[in-house]
Amino acid sequence: MTTDTALLPEVTSPQATPRRWPRFLRLSLTDFFFLTMLFWLFMAVPMGWDRLLWDGDTALHTRTGDFILDHGHVPTADPFSFTKPGERWYAYEWLTAVIFAGLNRWVGLKGIVLLCGVVIALYLTLLARDMVRRGSNGLLALLLVMVGANASMIHFHARPHLFTLLFLVIANSLVARDRERPSWHIWLLAPLTILWVNMHSGFPALLAVVGALTAGSVLSRDWQKVRRYASVFAVCALATLVNPNGIALHLHISKFLNSPWAMANINEFQSPVFRGEAMYCYMGILFLAMMVCARHFARRQWTECLWILMFAAGSLTSARHVPLFIVTTLPLIGIAITDLWVEWTARETRTSVLGVLAELSEKTTRKLQPVSAWAAVIVVAVALFSRPQNWPKDLSEKYFPRTVAHQFADQLASSHVFTTDQWGDYLLWTGYPRQKVFMDGRSDFFGESIGREYATIMSAAPGWRQALDRHRVNMVLVPPETPLIELLSSDAHWQVLYRDKQSVLLARDADATTARRP
């Protein structure tokens, strides 16, 4: 007996639905980019983490945090100098200082540099992701961010300003999302501001972004947006008052930034010098930003014009603002170039060179998903399983007199030492809590009077002896090429205690001990 199979109903086995991981567990190209930035900047060479410790402010902030943890309050009077002891001091980056000190007490400098390295890689990754969400080509976004990282690399130190870069990327992203579709998320800027104002003094960058957005809305006569963003600006401005110093902090920062002496004598507040690869990268981004600004001007997109012009002006007048300019303008540059790229490749076949690049760009864009939990897992693995010798145990030997500072730690801590401001930070690192310094990296605190005395002594200008005597300086620790060394070496009242290629330590007669040389 035969059966007509055509009459039987078709039986189909249900296909198994592929099991998808939760989004936070899906490894994406964004994770690889984050890890690539971390590896490229800090792990590609054995002592890559050392580059984060080329600035003495790491020591200053860590010891400030130690003071807060030891005494249970944020200091309002100077505890670190013998030139201005007990005078009013604004420890406005106190929260970062506490974090640094806590990490140092827990795992040493390894914790500080790992945190700062992750913050740098994270802000660059979030910047690339934000560029894609705004409409930039994924491949172009990665390329521009790498160029921007190169231009900003001279600012990659373990200092609180790294958090300003991270917070500015987050703030710009929230603003961009709100301009596309208004939502309650824009009000997250308020708690972000509270965190920001207690971690770094760069919080005015947020007010500049929202203020320019409000002004641009006024120029566009979009009164609904004017009311919305003026309200956001007011709330964020009020949020900046949530700090241990209140409005006094703003007055202090304003006074310092309007000091002609400070702007003329502090390197990072001076205009950038266009030498070296990093500054050439910045120059290229600056030129692209100006061309993009012209495009926005022709379209009467006033907010974008204000952002570009405002942050470009800031970067040209002060080198420390270069990374802020890059963070703010790269998304605008990426969108403009992507629009041109789409027009250029629209008629190309998929097999042409441009067609292949266009398809690759589209795939890259789709794969730049949010960072997953795997990135955090790998960071933890780096912390736990990397070789101990790869992590710094002290600030960079390249820039700080480690040998003499440790060898003469007791004598230095019990003396009035004149040294460079950066080395003053380092002496606080090695001699806390006993060590007092002539001057350290707190330029806003020491001001013009101590700054001029410092410059007079360093250059051995007329009045240098009187300045040393006025502050009862009995030890000097400076580089060998300092003009002061020749004068003190020939003075019978001063004796060389230590000399090497990096530093010379001298003491007055009463404190002179048997000379020791390496």
Side-chain angles (χ1 to χ4, degrees):
M1 181 177 177
T2 61
T3 303
D4 189 352
T5 57
L7 299 177
L8 297 176
E10 183 178 359
V11 179
T12 58
S13 59
Q15 294 183 351
T17 303
R19 186 174 181 178
R20 295 176 65 90
W21 289 87
R23 173 170 290 184
F24 73 93
L25 290 178
R26 297 178 200 166
L27 196 63
S28 69
L29 181 60
T30 313
D31 297 297
F32 284 108
F33 183 72
F34 168 79
L35 297 172
T36 298
M37 290 295 98
L38 199 62
F39 179 83
W40 172 46
L41 293 171
F42 309 113
M43 299 170 61
V45 294
M47 299 301 293
W49 298 107
D50 184 72
R51 68 169 296 110
L52 287 166
L53 302 173
W54 290 357
D55 191 286
D57 280 2
T58 306
L60 173 63
H61 292 297
T62 304
R63 292 315 183 201
T64 301
D66 283 324
F67 181 93
I68 295 171
L69 293 176
D70 290 340
H71 295 82
H73 66 86
V74 178
T76 56
D78 170 48
F80 295 138
S81 79
F82 61 82
T83 50
K84 299 182 69 173
E87 291 197 23
R88 184 71 169 94
W89 173 41
Y90 297 89
Y92 45 80
E93 293 159 342
W94 68 273
L95 185 54
T96 305
V98 169
I99 293 172
F100 279 12
L103 287 172
N104 186 55
R105 292 183 177 193
W106 181 30
V107 291
L109 277 171
K110 172 182 178 179
I112 296 176
V113 298
L114 181 59
L115 170 66
C116 292
V118 167
V119 168
I120 291 170
L122 182 60
Y123 103 76
L124 293 171
T125 303
L126 294 180
L127 178 58
R129 169 74 179 155
D130 180 48
M131 291 174 67
V132 169
R133 291 189 64 183
R134 294 201 210 183
S136 180
N137 176 305
L139 198 60
L140 176 65
L142 297 182
L143 176 62
L144 285 175
V145 168
M146 292 185 74
V147 174
N150 200 353
S152 305
M153 200 173 296
I154 59 174
H155 300 272
F156 290 170
H157 301 299
R159 290 174 53 181
H161 71 271
L162 297 180
F163 293 98
T164 279
L165 299 179
L166 176 62
F167 294 157
L168 184 58
V169 171
I170 295 172
N172 286 341
S173 178
L174 289 172
V175 168
R177 299 292 83 72
D178 195 79
R179 295 183 75 196
E180 295 171 3
R181 176 187 287 183
S183 74
W184 64 269
H185 294 99
I186 192 66
W187 301 105
L188 293 174
L189 290 176
L192 178 66
T193 303
I194 295 174
L195 184 63
W196 198 338
V197 74
N198 290 288
M199 294 192 73
H200 185 244
S201 58
F203 64 89
L206 171 61
L207 300 181
V209 168
V210 181
L213 175 57
T214 306
S217 300
V218 171
L219 293 174
S220 300
R221 298 186 178 182
D222 189 336
W223 306 116
Q224 182 178 359
K225 288 186 176 179
V226 170
R227 289 191 293 272
R228 179 175 180 80
Y229 295 125
S231 299
V232 173
F233 180 88
V235 170
C236 290
L238 288 174
T240 65
L241 299 177
V242 185
N243 71 84
N245 299 290
I247 190 65
L249 171 63
H250 304 64
L251 298 175
H252 172 73
I253 293 175
S254 176
K255 179 181 178 180
F256 176 66
L257 293 179
N258 284 283
S259 166
W261 179 87
M263 298 303 103
N265 289 275
I266 301 174
N267 288 337
E268 63 182 356
F269 286 105
Q270 296 175 4
S271 297
V273 178
F274 289 93
R275 297 194 187 97
E277 181 182 348
M279 288 296 96
Y280 292 145
C281 289
Y282 159 60
M283 185 188 298
I285 294 173
L286 182 63
F287 288 158
L288 287 174
M290 292 301 102
M291 289 186 282
V292 171
C293 185
R295 177 176 181 263
H296 286 298
F297 183 83
R299 298 182 178 187
R300 297 179 180 274
Q301 295 172 329
W302 307 120
T303 296
E304 287 79 359
C305 291
L306 290 173
W307 281 340
I308 293 173
L309 294 175
M310 182 170 54
F311 281 93
S315 69
L316 288 171
T317 56
S318 175
R320 68 178 292 158
H321 296 146
V322 168
L324 305 183
F325 162 75
I326 291 172
V327 162
T328 304
T329 58
L330 276 190
L332 306 179
I333 294 171
I335 294 171
I337 297 179
T338 297
D339 290 344
L340 294 175
W341 173 257
V342 170
E343 294 177 8
W344 193 19
T345 59
R347 298 181 181 180
E348 295 292 331
T349 63
R350 295 183 63 181
T351 56
S352 66
V353 174
L354 290 179
V356 171
L357 287 175
E359 185 176 359
L360 178 61
S361 299
E362 291 176 4
K363 291 181 179 179
T364 303
T365 303
R366 290 194 298 270
K367 291 182 178 180
L368 283 172
Q369 299 299 315
V371 177
S372 74
W374 289 108
V377 170
I378 295 176
V379 169
V380 172
V382 169
L384 294 178
F385 302 113
S386 58
R387 294 184 298 176
Q389 57 267 33
N390 289 345
W391 298 101
K393 302 293 190 300
D394 201 346
L395 269 62
S396 177
E397 189 174 19
K398 181 179 180 180
Y399 292 97
F400 299 99
R402 300 197 325 195
T403 301
V404 63
H406 288 285
Q407 185 173 337
F408 291 87
D410 290 338
Q411 296 96 313
L412 291 166
S414 60
S415 303
H416 281 194
V417 186
F418 176 83
T419 188
T420 69
D421 56 343
Q422 285 281 298
W423 289 6
D425 291 335
Y426 187 69
L427 291 186
L428 292 176
W429 174 259
T430 58
Y432 176 86
R434 295 174 55 206
Q435 184 72 61
K436 307 299 178 185
V437 296
F438 184 98
M439 186 176 183
D440 52 45
R442 297 171 295 162
S443 303
D444 62 305
F445 169 69
F446 289 100
E448 183 174 354
S449 60
I450 299 298
R452 287 189 180 279
E453 287 187 308
Y454 170 82
T456 296
I457 297 171
M458 285 294 293
S459 60
W464 67 270
R465 288 186 184 275
Q466 292 81 352
L468 289 179
D469 292 338
R470 184 161 45 252
H471 297 290
R472 296 181 296 164
V473 172
N474 53 8
M475 296 191 84
V476 170
L477 175 64
V478 289
E481 64 274 12
T482 306
L484 183 65
I485 290 298
E486 184 177 354
L487 295 174
L488 291 182
S489 298
S490 60
D491 189 325
H493 296 290
W494 287 85
Q495 180 180 352
V496 175
L497 300 183
Y498 180 95
R499 182 191 295 269
D500 61 18
K501 293 181 179 180
Q502 186 183 37
S503 62
V504 179
L505 176 65
L506 303 100
R508 285 185 189 264
D509 284 340
D511 300 292
T513 58
T514 304
R516 285 182 274 181
R517 301 173 186 270

